[in-house]
PDB file of all heavy atoms in Angstrom:
ATOM      1  N   GLY A   1      63.470-218.864  -9.743  1.00  0.00           N
ATOM      2  CA  GLY A   1      62.680-220.090  -9.978  1.00  0.00           C
ATOM      3  C   GLY A   1      63.514-221.318  -9.911  1.00  0.00           C
ATOM      4  O   GLY A   1      64.682-221.318  -9.676  1.00  0.00           O
ATOM      5  N   SER A   2      62.835-222.482 -10.152  1.00  0.00           N
ATOM      6  CA  SER A   2      63.539-223.724 -10.149  1.00  0.00           C
ATOM      7  C   SER A   2      64.002-224.046 -11.594  1.00  0.00           C
ATOM      8  O   SER A   2      63.565-223.451 -12.544  1.00  0.00           O
ATOM      9  CB  SER A   2      62.594-224.799  -9.649  1.00  0.00           C
ATOM     10  OG  SER A   2      61.449-224.924 -10.371  1.00  0.00           O
ATOM     11  N   THR A   3      64.851-225.082 -11.660  1.00  0.00           N
ATOM     12  CA  THR A   3      65.333-225.470 -12.953  1.00  0.00           C
ATOM     13  C   THR A   3      64.440-226.492 -13.624  1.00  0.00           C
ATOM     14  O   THR A   3      64.007-227.450 -12.916  1.00  0.00           O
ATOM     15  CB  THR A   3      66.784-226.081 -12.848  1.00  0.00           C
ATOM     16  OG1 THR A   3      67.618-225.074 -12.168  1.00  0.00           O
ATOM     17  CG2 THR A   3      67.366-226.409 -14.163  1.00  0.00           C
ATOM     18  N   ASN A   4      64.149-226.338 -14.890  1.00  0.00           N
ATOM     19  CA  ASN A   4      63.346-227.273 -15.645  1.00  0.00           C
ATOM     20  C   ASN A   4      64.227-227.998 -16.647  1.00  0.00           C
ATOM     21  O   ASN A   4      65.051-227.359 -17.312  1.00  0.00           O
ATOM     22  CB  ASN A   4      62.224-226.618 -16.331  1.00  0.00           C
ATOM     23  CG  ASN A   4      61.179-226.040 -15.413  1.00  0.00           C
ATOM     24  OD1 ASN A   4      60.763-226.720 -14.498  1.00  0.00           O
ATOM     25  ND2 ASN A   4      60.765-224.806 -15.631  1.00  0.00           N
ATOM     26  N   TYR A   5      64.090-229.296 -16.715  1.00  0.00           N
ATOM     27  CA  TYR A   5      64.878-230.101 -17.618  1.00  0.00           C
ATOM     28  C   TYR A   5      63.996-230.805 -18.661  1.00  0.00           C
ATOM     29  O   TYR A   5      62.871-231.175 -18.364  1.00  0.00           O
ATOM     30  CB  TYR A   5      65.676-231.181 -16.841  1.00  0.00           C
ATOM     31  CG  TYR A   5      66.708-230.669 -15.886  1.00  0.00           C
ATOM     32  CD1 TYR A   5      66.315-230.451 -14.561  1.00  0.00           C
ATOM     33  CD2 TYR A   5      67.934-230.398 -16.296  1.00  0.00           C
ATOM     34  CE1 TYR A   5      67.289-230.011 -13.624  1.00  0.00           C
ATOM     35  CE2 TYR A   5      68.960-229.966 -15.415  1.00  0.00           C
ATOM     36  CZ  TYR A   5      68.565-229.705 -14.055  1.00  0.00           C
ATOM     37  OH  TYR A   5      69.477-229.192 -13.197  1.00  0.00           O
ATOM     38  N   ALA A   6      64.537-231.011 -19.857  1.00  0.00           N
ATOM     39  CA  ALA A   6      63.881-231.830 -20.799  1.00  0.00           C
ATOM     40  C   ALA A   6      63.800-233.282 -20.238  1.00  0.00           C
ATOM     41  O   ALA A   6      64.709-233.756 -19.570  1.00  0.00           O
ATOM     42  CB  ALA A   6      64.683-231.861 -22.132  1.00  0.00           C
ATOM     43  N   ASP A   7      62.678-233.940 -20.578  1.00  0.00           N
ATOM     44  CA  ASP A   7      62.532-235.379 -20.066  1.00  0.00           C
ATOM     45  C   ASP A   7      63.671-236.223 -20.455  1.00  0.00           C
ATOM     46  O   ASP A   7      64.105-237.092 -19.719  1.00  0.00           O
ATOM     47  CB  ASP A   7      61.234-235.942 -20.629  1.00  0.00           C
ATOM     48  CG  ASP A   7      59.988-235.293 -19.934  1.00  0.00           C
ATOM     49  OD1 ASP A   7      60.131-234.709 -18.910  1.00  0.00           O
ATOM     50  OD2 ASP A   7      58.893-235.443 -20.516  1.00  0.00           O
ATOM     51  N   SER A   8      64.271-236.001 -21.647  1.00  0.00           N
ATOM     52  CA  SER A   8      65.310-236.852 -22.165  1.00  0.00           C
ATOM     53  C   SER A   8      66.620-236.795 -21.390  1.00  0.00           C
ATOM     54  O   SER A   8      67.471-237.611 -21.560  1.00  0.00           O
ATOM     55  CB  SER A   8      65.561-236.493 -23.657  1.00  0.00           C
ATOM     56  OG  SER A   8      65.956-235.131 -23.789  1.00  0.00           O
ATOM     57  N   VAL A   9      66.780-235.703 -20.576  1.00  0.00           N
ATOM     58  CA  VAL A   9      68.040-235.522 -19.860  1.00  0.00           C
ATOM     59  C   VAL A   9      67.868-235.576 -18.327  1.00  0.00           C
ATOM     60  O   VAL A   9      68.847-235.529 -17.582  1.00  0.00           O
ATOM     61  CB  VAL A   9      68.742-234.199 -20.263  1.00  0.00           C
ATOM     62  CG1 VAL A   9      68.892-234.120 -21.761  1.00  0.00           C
ATOM     63  CG2 VAL A   9      68.049-232.993 -19.679  1.00  0.00           C
ATOM     64  N   LYS A  10      66.612-235.705 -17.878  1.00  0.00           N
ATOM     65  CA  LYS A  10      66.362-235.700 -16.419  1.00  0.00           C
ATOM     66  C   LYS A  10      67.105-236.866 -15.763  1.00  0.00           C
ATOM     67  O   LYS A  10      67.088-237.982 -16.240  1.00  0.00           O
ATOM     68  CB  LYS A  10      64.871-235.803 -16.144  1.00  0.00           C
ATOM     69  CG  LYS A  10      64.073-234.517 -16.302  1.00  0.00           C
ATOM     70  CD  LYS A  10      62.571-234.759 -15.979  1.00  0.00           C
ATOM     71  CE  LYS A  10      61.822-233.477 -16.174  1.00  0.00           C
ATOM     72  NZ  LYS A  10      60.384-233.631 -15.943  1.00  0.00           N
ATOM     73  N   GLY A  11      67.748-236.542 -14.637  1.00  0.00           N
ATOM     74  CA  GLY A  11      68.507-237.561 -13.913  1.00  0.00           C
ATOM     75  C   GLY A  11      69.900-237.786 -14.447  1.00  0.00           C
ATOM     76  O   GLY A  11      70.718-238.459 -13.823  1.00  0.00           O
ATOM     77  N   ARG A  12      70.226-237.196 -15.590  1.00  0.00           N
ATOM     78  CA  ARG A  12      71.558-237.265 -16.213  1.00  0.00           C
ATOM     79  C   ARG A  12      72.306-236.003 -16.204  1.00  0.00           C
ATOM     80  O   ARG A  12      73.505-235.909 -16.043  1.00  0.00           O
ATOM     81  CB  ARG A  12      71.510-237.939 -17.582  1.00  0.00           C
ATOM     82  CG  ARG A  12      70.877-239.302 -17.645  1.00  0.00           C
ATOM     83  CD  ARG A  12      70.988-239.908 -19.017  1.00  0.00           C
ATOM     84  NE  ARG A  12      70.310-239.120 -20.084  1.00  0.00           N
ATOM     85  CZ  ARG A  12      70.943-238.644 -21.141  1.00  0.00           C
ATOM     86  NH1 ARG A  12      72.211-238.822 -21.330  1.00  0.00           N
ATOM     87  NH2 ARG A  12      70.269-237.931 -21.991  1.00  0.00           N
ATOM     88  N   PHE A  13      71.572-234.902 -16.487  1.00  0.00           N
ATOM     89  CA  PHE A  13      72.145-233.556 -16.663  1.00  0.00           C
ATOM     90  C   PHE A  13      71.797-232.719 -15.444  1.00  0.00           C
ATOM     91  O   PHE A  13      70.658-232.818 -14.924  1.00  0.00           O
ATOM     92  CB  PHE A  13      71.661-232.895 -17.855  1.00  0.00           C
ATOM     93  CG  PHE A  13      72.104-233.453 -19.184  1.00  0.00           C
ATOM     94  CD1 PHE A  13      72.805-234.682 -19.250  1.00  0.00           C
ATOM     95  CD2 PHE A  13      71.936-232.800 -20.388  1.00  0.00           C
ATOM     96  CE1 PHE A  13      73.242-235.225 -20.443  1.00  0.00           C
ATOM     97  CE2 PHE A  13      72.365-233.334 -21.605  1.00  0.00           C
ATOM     98  CZ  PHE A  13      72.983-234.568 -21.613  1.00  0.00           C
ATOM     99  N   THR A  14      72.734-231.879 -15.021  1.00  0.00           N
ATOM    100  CA  THR A  14      72.451-230.951 -13.917  1.00  0.00           C
ATOM    101  C   THR A  14      72.972-229.585 -14.288  1.00  0.00           C
ATOM    102  O   THR A  14      74.163-229.473 -14.651  1.00  0.00           O
ATOM    103  CB  THR A  14      73.178-231.442 -12.590  1.00  0.00           C
ATOM    104  OG1 THR A  14      72.655-232.744 -12.299  1.00  0.00           O
ATOM    105  CG2 THR A  14      72.817-230.461 -11.475  1.00  0.00           C
ATOM    106  N   MET A  15      72.136-228.600 -14.181  1.00  0.00           N
ATOM    107  CA  MET A  15      72.567-227.244 -14.429  1.00  0.00           C
ATOM    108  C   MET A  15      72.820-226.535 -13.099  1.00  0.00           C
ATOM    109  O   MET A  15      72.011-226.674 -12.158  1.00  0.00           O
ATOM    110  CB  MET A  15      71.519-226.472 -15.277  1.00  0.00           C
ATOM    111  CG  MET A  15      71.973-225.091 -15.769  1.00  0.00           C
ATOM    112  SD  MET A  15      70.824-224.339 -16.918  1.00  0.00           S
ATOM    113  CE  MET A  15      69.562-223.791 -15.823  1.00  0.00           C
ATOM    114  N   SER A  16      73.876-225.765 -13.044  1.00  0.00           N
ATOM    115  CA  SER A  16      74.181-225.015 -11.856  1.00  0.00           C
ATOM    116  C   SER A  16      74.677-223.577 -12.218  1.00  0.00           C
ATOM    117  O   SER A  16      75.099-223.361 -13.358  1.00  0.00           O
ATOM    118  CB  SER A  16      75.285-225.696 -11.044  1.00  0.00           C
ATOM    119  OG  SER A  16      76.488-225.860 -11.796  1.00  0.00           O
ATOM    120  N   ARG A  17      74.630-222.682 -11.315  1.00  0.00           N
ATOM    121  CA  ARG A  17      75.049-221.334 -11.565  1.00  0.00           C
ATOM    122  C   ARG A  17      75.985-220.848 -10.505  1.00  0.00           C
ATOM    123  O   ARG A  17      75.855-221.241  -9.324  1.00  0.00           O
ATOM    124  CB  ARG A  17      73.807-220.405 -11.698  1.00  0.00           C
ATOM    125  CG  ARG A  17      72.864-220.448 -10.451  1.00  0.00           C
ATOM    126  CD  ARG A  17      71.557-219.788 -10.783  1.00  0.00           C
ATOM    127  NE  ARG A  17      71.700-218.332 -10.906  1.00  0.00           N
ATOM    128  CZ  ARG A  17      70.724-217.583 -11.387  1.00  0.00           C
ATOM    129  NH1 ARG A  17      69.606-218.069 -11.856  1.00  0.00           N
ATOM    130  NH2 ARG A  17      70.907-216.249 -11.380  1.00  0.00           N
ATOM    131  N   ASP A  18      76.914-220.004 -10.905  1.00  0.00           N
ATOM    132  CA  ASP A  18      77.888-219.398 -10.043  1.00  0.00           C
ATOM    133  C   ASP A  18      77.668-217.880 -10.153  1.00  0.00           C
ATOM    134  O   ASP A  18      78.096-217.271 -11.100  1.00  0.00           O
ATOM    135  CB  ASP A  18      79.327-219.808 -10.362  1.00  0.00           C
ATOM    136  CG  ASP A  18      80.339-219.311  -9.343  1.00  0.00           C
ATOM    137  OD1 ASP A  18      80.125-218.195  -8.797  1.00  0.00           O
ATOM    138  OD2 ASP A  18      81.328-220.012  -9.109  1.00  0.00           O
ATOM    139  N   ASN A  19      76.938-217.360  -9.198  1.00  0.00           N
ATOM    140  CA  ASN A  19      76.609-215.920  -9.287  1.00  0.00           C
ATOM    141  C   ASN A  19      77.828-215.033  -9.235  1.00  0.00           C
ATOM    142  O   ASN A  19      77.855-213.944  -9.864  1.00  0.00           O
ATOM    143  CB  ASN A  19      75.630-215.558  -8.175  1.00  0.00           C
ATOM    144  CG  ASN A  19      74.350-216.304  -8.280  1.00  0.00           C
ATOM    145  OD1 ASN A  19      73.911-216.647  -9.378  1.00  0.00           O
ATOM    146  ND2 ASN A  19      73.735-216.732  -7.168  1.00  0.00           N
ATOM    147  N   ALA A  20      78.847-215.403  -8.515  1.00  0.00           N
ATOM    148  CA  ALA A  20      80.057-214.609  -8.375  1.00  0.00           C
ATOM    149  C   ALA A  20      80.837-214.503  -9.691  1.00  0.00           C
ATOM    150  O   ALA A  20      81.433-213.511 -10.043  1.00  0.00           O
ATOM    151  CB  ALA A  20      80.948-215.128  -7.282  1.00  0.00           C
ATOM    152  N   LYS A  21      80.798-215.641 -10.457  1.00  0.00           N
ATOM    153  CA  LYS A  21      81.583-215.701 -11.737  1.00  0.00           C
ATOM    154  C   LYS A  21      80.698-215.361 -12.923  1.00  0.00           C
ATOM    155  O   LYS A  21      81.169-215.358 -14.045  1.00  0.00           O
ATOM    156  CB  LYS A  21      82.187-217.099 -11.884  1.00  0.00           C
ATOM    157  CG  LYS A  21      83.231-217.445 -10.832  1.00  0.00           C
ATOM    158  CD  LYS A  21      83.799-218.817 -11.069  1.00  0.00           C
ATOM    159  CE  LYS A  21      84.916-219.158 -10.078  1.00  0.00           C
ATOM    160  NZ  LYS A  21      85.467-220.520 -10.281  1.00  0.00           N
ATOM    161  N   ASN A  22      79.386-215.238 -12.721  1.00  0.00           N
ATOM    162  CA  ASN A  22      78.456-215.003 -13.793  1.00  0.00           C
ATOM    163  C   ASN A  22      78.535-216.115 -14.818  1.00  0.00           C
ATOM    164  O   ASN A  22      78.596-215.899 -16.032  1.00  0.00           O
ATOM    165  CB  ASN A  22      78.692-213.649 -14.507  1.00  0.00           C
ATOM    166  CG  ASN A  22      78.408-212.519 -13.594  1.00  0.00           C
ATOM    167  OD1 ASN A  22      77.456-212.545 -12.801  1.00  0.00           O
ATOM    168  ND2 ASN A  22      79.204-211.468 -13.620  1.00  0.00           N
ATOM    169  N   THR A  23      78.521-217.339 -14.322  1.00  0.00           N
ATOM    170  CA  THR A  23      78.528-218.538 -15.172  1.00  0.00           C
ATOM    171  C   THR A  23      77.431-219.461 -14.877  1.00  0.00           C
ATOM    172  O   THR A  23      76.894-219.530 -13.769  1.00  0.00           O
ATOM    173  CB  THR A  23      79.909-219.291 -15.038  1.00  0.00           C
ATOM    174  OG1 THR A  23      80.068-219.677 -13.657  1.00  0.00           O
ATOM    175  CG2 THR A  23      81.063-218.460 -15.458  1.00  0.00           C
ATOM    176  N   VAL A  24      77.076-220.258 -15.868  1.00  0.00           N
ATOM    177  CA  VAL A  24      76.081-221.313 -15.755  1.00  0.00           C
ATOM    178  C   VAL A  24      76.664-222.548 -16.368  1.00  0.00           C
ATOM    179  O   VAL A  24      77.165-222.462 -17.503  1.00  0.00           O
ATOM    180  CB  VAL A  24      74.757-220.953 -16.432  1.00  0.00           C
ATOM    181  CG1 VAL A  24      73.825-222.148 -16.391  1.00  0.00           C
ATOM    182  CG2 VAL A  24      74.068-219.777 -15.766  1.00  0.00           C
ATOM    183  N   ASP A  25      76.680-223.581 -15.617  1.00  0.00           N
ATOM    184  CA  ASP A  25      77.329-224.836 -16.096  1.00  0.00           C
ATOM    185  C   ASP A  25      76.318-225.887 -16.325  1.00  0.00           C
ATOM    186  O   ASP A  25      75.203-225.923 -15.772  1.00  0.00           O
ATOM    187  CB  ASP A  25      78.353-225.370 -15.077  1.00  0.00           C
ATOM    188  CG  ASP A  25      79.590-224.478 -14.932  1.00  0.00           C
ATOM    189  OD1 ASP A  25      79.700-223.501 -15.797  1.00  0.00           O
ATOM    190  OD2 ASP A  25      80.374-224.774 -14.098  1.00  0.00           O
ATOM    191  N   LEU A  26      76.663-226.853 -17.206  1.00  0.00           N
ATOM    192  CA  LEU A  26      75.745-227.990 -17.451  1.00  0.00           C
ATOM    193  C   LEU A  26      76.672-229.243 -17.312  1.00  0.00           C
ATOM    194  O   LEU A  26      77.524-229.506 -18.146  1.00  0.00           O
ATOM    195  CB  LEU A  26      75.188-227.910 -18.858  1.00  0.00           C
ATOM    196  CG  LEU A  26      74.176-229.019 -19.197  1.00  0.00           C
ATOM    197  CD1 LEU A  26      72.898-228.829 -18.368  1.00  0.00           C
ATOM    198  CD2 LEU A  26      73.843-228.993 -20.700  1.00  0.00           C
ATOM    199  N   GLN A  27      76.387-229.974 -16.237  1.00  0.00           N
ATOM    200  CA  GLN A  27      77.121-231.231 -16.034  1.00  0.00           C
ATOM    201  C   GLN A  27      76.307-232.360 -16.712  1.00  0.00           C
ATOM    202  O   GLN A  27      75.156-232.544 -16.355  1.00  0.00           O
ATOM    203  CB  GLN A  27      77.270-231.516 -14.542  1.00  0.00           C
ATOM    204  CG  GLN A  27      77.899-232.846 -14.214  1.00  0.00           C
ATOM    205  CD  GLN A  27      79.371-232.898 -14.652  1.00  0.00           C
ATOM    206  OE1 GLN A  27      80.106-231.947 -14.466  1.00  0.00           O
ATOM    207  NE2 GLN A  27      79.777-234.032 -15.231  1.00  0.00           N
ATOM    208  N   MET A  28      76.954-233.032 -17.599  1.00  0.00           N
ATOM    209  CA  MET A  28      76.271-234.097 -18.373  1.00  0.00           C
ATOM    210  C   MET A  28      76.924-235.387 -18.097  1.00  0.00           C
ATOM    211  O   MET A  28      78.103-235.630 -18.333  1.00  0.00           O
ATOM    212  CB  MET A  28      76.369-233.747 -19.887  1.00  0.00           C
ATOM    213  CG  MET A  28      75.859-232.374 -20.233  1.00  0.00           C
ATOM    214  SD  MET A  28      75.834-232.059 -22.033  1.00  0.00           S
ATOM    215  CE  MET A  28      77.613-232.078 -22.327  1.00  0.00           C
ATOM    216  N   ASN A  29      76.104-236.310 -17.484  1.00  0.00           N
ATOM    217  CA  ASN A  29      76.602-237.642 -17.141  1.00  0.00           C
ATOM    218  C   ASN A  29      75.842-238.685 -17.907  1.00  0.00           C
ATOM    219  O   ASN A  29      74.775-238.412 -18.520  1.00  0.00           O
ATOM    220  CB  ASN A  29      76.384-237.891 -15.623  1.00  0.00           C
ATOM    221  CG  ASN A  29      77.190-236.925 -14.760  1.00  0.00           C
ATOM    222  OD1 ASN A  29      78.265-236.479 -15.177  1.00  0.00           O
ATOM    223  ND2 ASN A  29      76.630-236.624 -13.606  1.00  0.00           N
ATOM    224  N   SER A  30      76.354-239.914 -17.979  1.00  0.00           N
ATOM    225  CA  SER A  30      75.742-241.002 -18.644  1.00  0.00           C
ATOM    226  C   SER A  30      75.325-240.627 -20.048  1.00  0.00           C
ATOM    227  O   SER A  30      74.178-240.841 -20.528  1.00  0.00           O
ATOM    228  CB  SER A  30      74.515-241.476 -17.854  1.00  0.00           C
ATOM    229  OG  SER A  30      74.844-241.872 -16.541  1.00  0.00           O
ATOM    230  N   LEU A  31      76.268-239.995 -20.766  1.00  0.00           N
ATOM    231  CA  LEU A  31      75.967-239.524 -22.084  1.00  0.00           C
ATOM    232  C   LEU A  31      75.637-240.620 -23.094  1.00  0.00           C
ATOM    233  O   LEU A  31      76.178-241.714 -22.965  1.00  0.00           O
ATOM    234  CB  LEU A  31      77.099-238.690 -22.627  1.00  0.00           C
ATOM    235  CG  LEU A  31      77.191-237.257 -22.005  1.00  0.00           C
ATOM    236  CD1 LEU A  31      78.581-236.628 -22.189  1.00  0.00           C
ATOM    237  CD2 LEU A  31      76.135-236.378 -22.651  1.00  0.00           C
ATOM    238  N   LYS A  32      74.706-240.313 -23.990  1.00  0.00           N
ATOM    239  CA  LYS A  32      74.246-241.236 -24.994  1.00  0.00           C
ATOM    240  C   LYS A  32      74.555-240.674 -26.361  1.00  0.00           C
ATOM    241  O   LYS A  32      74.675-239.478 -26.579  1.00  0.00           O
ATOM    242  CB  LYS A  32      72.749-241.482 -24.860  1.00  0.00           C
ATOM    243  CG  LYS A  32      72.265-241.943 -23.502  1.00  0.00           C
ATOM    244  CD  LYS A  32      70.791-242.008 -23.462  1.00  0.00           C
ATOM    245  CE  LYS A  32      70.314-242.434 -22.043  1.00  0.00           C
ATOM    246  NZ  LYS A  32      68.799-242.471 -21.972  1.00  0.00           N
ATOM    247  N   PRO A  33      74.669-241.561 -27.371  1.00  0.00           N
ATOM    248  CA  PRO A  33      74.931-241.010 -28.735  1.00  0.00           C
ATOM    249  C   PRO A  33      73.862-240.080 -29.168  1.00  0.00           C
ATOM    250  O   PRO A  33      74.154-239.119 -29.904  1.00  0.00           O
ATOM    251  CB  PRO A  33      74.874-242.287 -29.598  1.00  0.00           C
ATOM    252  CG  PRO A  33      75.336-243.395 -28.680  1.00  0.00           C
ATOM    253  CD  PRO A  33      74.786-243.036 -27.350  1.00  0.00           C
ATOM    254  N   GLU A  34      72.636-240.196 -28.681  1.00  0.00           N
ATOM    255  CA  GLU A  34      71.569-239.275 -29.074  1.00  0.00           C
ATOM    256  C   GLU A  34      71.708-237.914 -28.410  1.00  0.00           C
ATOM    257  O   GLU A  34      70.938-236.942 -28.736  1.00  0.00           O
ATOM    258  CB  GLU A  34      70.186-239.834 -28.779  1.00  0.00           C
ATOM    259  CG  GLU A  34      70.018-240.375 -27.397  1.00  0.00           C
ATOM    260  CD  GLU A  34      70.247-241.906 -27.339  1.00  0.00           C
ATOM    261  OE1 GLU A  34      71.203-242.404 -27.917  1.00  0.00           O
ATOM    262  OE2 GLU A  34      69.425-242.549 -26.606  1.00  0.00           O
ATOM    263  N   ASP A  35      72.642-237.748 -27.531  1.00  0.00           N
ATOM    264  CA  ASP A  35      72.959-236.442 -26.963  1.00  0.00           C
ATOM    265  C   ASP A  35      73.873-235.590 -27.863  1.00  0.00           C
ATOM    266  O   ASP A  35      74.129-234.414 -27.593  1.00  0.00           O
ATOM    267  CB  ASP A  35      73.635-236.550 -25.594  1.00  0.00           C
ATOM    268  CG  ASP A  35      72.743-237.137 -24.519  1.00  0.00           C
ATOM    269  OD1 ASP A  35      71.532-236.766 -24.483  1.00  0.00           O
ATOM    270  OD2 ASP A  35      73.166-238.002 -23.786  1.00  0.00           O
ATOM    271  N   THR A  36      74.338-236.208 -28.928  1.00  0.00           N
ATOM    272  CA  THR A  36      75.225-235.523 -29.869  1.00  0.00           C
ATOM    273  C   THR A  36      74.506-234.362 -30.502  1.00  0.00           C
ATOM    274  O   THR A  36      73.415-234.498 -31.047  1.00  0.00           O
ATOM    275  CB  THR A  36      75.725-236.492 -30.960  1.00  0.00           C
ATOM    276  OG1 THR A  36      76.564-237.494 -30.396  1.00  0.00           O
ATOM    277  CG2 THR A  36      76.539-235.736 -32.042  1.00  0.00           C
ATOM    278  N   ALA A  37      75.108-233.180 -30.360  1.00  0.00           N
ATOM    279  CA  ALA A  37      74.445-231.935 -30.860  1.00  0.00           C
ATOM    280  C   ALA A  37      75.417-230.747 -30.580  1.00  0.00           C
ATOM    281  O   ALA A  37      76.435-230.910 -29.909  1.00  0.00           O
ATOM    282  CB  ALA A  37      73.160-231.730 -30.115  1.00  0.00           C
ATOM    283  N   VAL A  38      75.006-229.628 -31.202  1.00  0.00           N
ATOM    284  CA  VAL A  38      75.661-228.394 -30.849  1.00  0.00           C
ATOM    285  C   VAL A  38      74.836-227.763 -29.676  1.00  0.00           C
ATOM    286  O   VAL A  38      73.608-227.669 -29.743  1.00  0.00           O
ATOM    287  CB  VAL A  38      75.708-227.335 -31.982  1.00  0.00           C
ATOM    288  CG1 VAL A  38      76.298-226.031 -31.498  1.00  0.00           C
ATOM    289  CG2 VAL A  38      76.485-227.946 -33.159  1.00  0.00           C
ATOM    290  N   TYR A  39      75.508-227.484 -28.561  1.00  0.00           N
ATOM    291  CA  TYR A  39      74.813-227.016 -27.367  1.00  0.00           C
ATOM    292  C   TYR A  39      75.008-225.464 -27.340  1.00  0.00           C
ATOM    293  O   TYR A  39      76.146-224.955 -27.444  1.00  0.00           O
ATOM    294  CB  TYR A  39      75.377-227.664 -26.136  1.00  0.00           C
ATOM    295  CG  TYR A  39      74.887-229.080 -25.945  1.00  0.00           C
ATOM    296  CD1 TYR A  39      75.326-230.078 -26.837  1.00  0.00           C
ATOM    297  CD2 TYR A  39      74.027-229.412 -24.947  1.00  0.00           C
ATOM    298  CE1 TYR A  39      74.827-231.361 -26.701  1.00  0.00           C
ATOM    299  CE2 TYR A  39      73.546-230.648 -24.765  1.00  0.00           C
ATOM    300  CZ  TYR A  39      73.931-231.671 -25.668  1.00  0.00           C
ATOM    301  OH  TYR A  39      73.460-232.919 -25.514  1.00  0.00           O
ATOM    302  N   TYR A  40      73.919-224.761 -27.083  1.00  0.00           N
ATOM    303  CA  TYR A  40      73.872-223.340 -27.018  1.00  0.00           C
ATOM    304  C   TYR A  40      73.459-222.785 -25.689  1.00  0.00           C
ATOM    305  O   TYR A  40      72.474-223.271 -25.115  1.00  0.00           O
ATOM    306  CB  TYR A  40      72.938-222.786 -28.058  1.00  0.00           C
ATOM    307  CG  TYR A  40      73.252-223.100 -29.531  1.00  0.00           C
ATOM    308  CD1 TYR A  40      72.757-224.232 -30.155  1.00  0.00           C
ATOM    309  CD2 TYR A  40      74.054-222.202 -30.263  1.00  0.00           C
ATOM    310  CE1 TYR A  40      73.074-224.489 -31.485  1.00  0.00           C
ATOM    311  CE2 TYR A  40      74.356-222.484 -31.545  1.00  0.00           C
ATOM    312  CZ  TYR A  40      73.861-223.630 -32.146  1.00  0.00           C
ATOM    313  OH  TYR A  40      74.215-223.910 -33.496  1.00  0.00           O
ATOM    314  N   CYS A  41      74.225-221.877 -25.194  1.00  0.00           N
ATOM    315  CA  CYS A  41      73.826-221.143 -23.974  1.00  0.00           C
ATOM    316  C   CYS A  41      72.758-220.091 -24.354  1.00  0.00           C
ATOM    317  O   CYS A  41      72.873-219.476 -25.420  1.00  0.00           O
ATOM    318  CB  CYS A  41      75.004-220.543 -23.370  1.00  0.00           C
ATOM    319  SG  CYS A  41      74.693-219.684 -21.780  1.00  0.00           S
ATOM    320  N   TYR A  42      71.806-219.943 -23.528  1.00  0.00           N
ATOM    321  CA  TYR A  42      70.684-219.010 -23.766  1.00  0.00           C
ATOM    322  C   TYR A  42      70.461-218.110 -22.583  1.00  0.00           C
ATOM    323  O   TYR A  42      70.553-218.549 -21.419  1.00  0.00           O
ATOM    324  CB  TYR A  42      69.439-219.773 -24.058  1.00  0.00           C
ATOM    325  CG  TYR A  42      68.188-219.014 -24.023  1.00  0.00           C
ATOM    326  CD1 TYR A  42      67.760-218.290 -25.129  1.00  0.00           C
ATOM    327  CD2 TYR A  42      67.388-218.985 -22.866  1.00  0.00           C
ATOM    328  CE1 TYR A  42      66.602-217.502 -25.138  1.00  0.00           C
ATOM    329  CE2 TYR A  42      66.194-218.210 -22.820  1.00  0.00           C
ATOM    330  CZ  TYR A  42      65.836-217.485 -23.963  1.00  0.00           C
ATOM    331  OH  TYR A  42      64.697-216.716 -23.890  1.00  0.00           O
ATOM    332  N   GLY A  43      70.150-216.849 -22.852  1.00  0.00           N
ATOM    333  CA  GLY A  43      69.773-215.925 -21.870  1.00  0.00           C
ATOM    334  C   GLY A  43      68.689-215.007 -22.358  1.00  0.00           C
ATOM    335  O   GLY A  43      68.649-214.718 -23.553  1.00  0.00           O
TER     336      GLY A  43
END
């Protein structure tokens, strides 16, 4: 499927996956103080 983003991060965050490495990354740009949080990977 396609990637769905929260409205608050659309246009700033990009999720990508590397199937060979079994990793999922989250590139976060234009960060704001309200982005402060503990970030959890989910599967």
Side-chain angles (χ1 to χ4, degrees):
S2 59
T3 303
N4 292 315
Y5 296 93
D7 288 342
S8 59
V9 307
K10 281 181 181 177
R12 301 188 298 122
F13 290 11
T14 303
M15 190 170 75
S16 60
R17 54 194 288 168
D18 187 324
N19 297 327
K21 296 181 179 179
N22 292 324
T23 58
V24 173
D25 290 355
L26 184 68
Q27 178 66 42
M28 305 185 295
N29 298 328
S30 302
L31 282 161
K32 305 175 181 180
E34 51 264 43
D35 294 318
T36 295
V38 177
Y39 284 69
Y40 296 91
C41 184
Y42 165 83

